[in-house]
Amino acid sequence: GIQVEQSPPDLILQEGANSTLRCNFSDSVNNLQWFHQNPWGQLINLFYIPSGTKQNGRLSATTVATERYSLLYISSSQTTDSGVYFCAVFVYNQGGKLIFGQGTELSVKP
Amino acid sequence: DTGVSQNPRHKITKRGQNVTFRCDPISEHNRLYWYRQTLGQGPEFLTYFQNEAQLEKSRLLSDRFSAERPKGSFSTLEIQRTEQGDSAMYLCASSRPSGGPDTQYFGPGTRLTVL
């Protein structure tokens, strides 16, 4: 089955710094989502981005489907950005499931 | 949309007991998914429904696990004879009918602790 790898596994930033999180996947996908998991475990949708670039405030994401990777950019980080960021991919011929990476744990220090 | 809701939010049980969790998807979402997440890992797929039909089950879903969605609305996940290895966060998600974006929206999860 398809493999999803995220890097780095952990990241510590000072408030105000920028960061880039990466998601590599091993095969063609029909859908890719980025999530932020807050300390209570809730998965919050950030982007639905099977290809191209999207922006939402301080966050933006780019997926290059032909090269099988996606990037999540966080600019001017805030302490509330702390948590775990997951990418997940969906492949029609592998059923209805999302396949998640292992996540990047981000800690933003004041 | 009121969002996906799950109950209970927390469940502590003793090994060998049965537990049941409920998920209410976003209204008009006909696809419903169950995932399990253990500490330090990403969520792993368990099963999914389109309307009332259970279309796929993961090998993670042993014989002790059963999921239902009798009327195509809410779903229940039952674990019989719980084991300590069942301790995890159980997440439910829903998505719109096919033909639209397959964005999955997740509920807050049910955290299960088996003593």
Side-chain angles (χ1 to χ4, degrees):
Chain A
I2 192 167
Q3 303 295 314
V4 181
E5 295 181 356
Q6 292 186 243
S7 60
D10 305 281
L11 187 58
I12 299 174
L13 298 175
Q14 284 299 125
E15 199 168 26
N18 303 329
S19 62
T20 301
L21 281 57
R22 187 177 179 102
C23 173
N24 292 334
F25 41 95
S26 60
D27 206 342
S28 299
V29 300
N30 301 105
N31 172 15
L32 186 145
Q33 290 183 243
W34 282 98
F35 296 91
H36 176 213
Q37 189 165 43
N38 67 21
W40 297 272
Q42 173 79 59
L43 280 166
I44 299 164
N45 288 58
L46 297 177
F47 295 101
Y48 165 84
I49 186 165
S51 63
T53 297
K54 290 187 178 180
Q55 180 151 9
N56 185 3
R58 297 182 295 104
L59 273 59
S60 65
T62 295
T63 297
V64 184
T66 53
E67 297 187 22
R68 300 179 185 167
Y69 73 88
S70 183
L71 302 173
L72 178 69
Y73 305 96
I74 304 174
S75 64
S76 305
S77 58
Q78 300 176 359
T79 56
T80 52
D81 294 331
S82 296
V84 184
Y85 290 81
F86 288 102
C87 74
V89 301
F90 177 102
V91 182
Y92 284 130
N93 64 7
Q94 292 192 22
K97 57 185 172 287
L98 280 174
I99 300 167
F100 283 78
Q102 294 292 85
T104 292
E105 184 163 7
L106 174 65
S107 179
V108 181
K109 304 295 187 185
Chain B
D1 290 338
T2 57
V4 179
S5 62
Q6 293 187 246
N7 287 287
R9 295 292 306 278
H10 303 272
K11 179 71 176 178
I12 300 173
T13 191
K14 292 183 178 179
R15 189 178 55 184
Q17 298 295 304
N18 299 342
V19 294
T20 300
F21 311 141
R22 177 177 169 130
C23 170
D24 288 86
I26 294 171
S27 59
E28 298 180 357
H29 280 195
N30 71 337
R31 292 186 175 183
L32 186 149
Y33 309 81
W34 286 99
Y35 294 83
R36 181 172 71 183
Q37 185 179 21
T38 53
L39 200 61
Q41 304 295 316
E44 295 176 290
F45 171 79
L46 293 178
T47 188
Y48 99 98
F49 293 84
Q50 182 160 303
N51 300 312
E52 63 275 12
Q54 189 173 17
L55 296 186
E56 187 175 351
K57 294 196 296 185
S58 162
R59 285 174 290 179
L60 293 175
L61 216 64
S62 75
D63 292 344
R64 297 184 297 106
F65 288 71
S66 62
E68 294 183 343
R69 195 182 182 199
K71 296 183 180 179
S73 56
F74 72 91
S75 175
T76 58
L77 177 68
E78 180 182 17
I79 309 174
Q80 296 182 327
R81 304 181 304 282
T82 52
E83 302 173 355
Q84 287 183 326
D86 297 331
S87 295
M89 175 78 93
Y90 289 84
L91 295 163
C92 176
S94 69
S95 67
R96 296 176 184 176
S98 59
D102 292 302
T103 306
Q104 294 187 21
Y105 296 88
F106 281 78
T110 295
R111 188 174 297 279
L112 173 66
T113 302
V114 181
L115 302 176

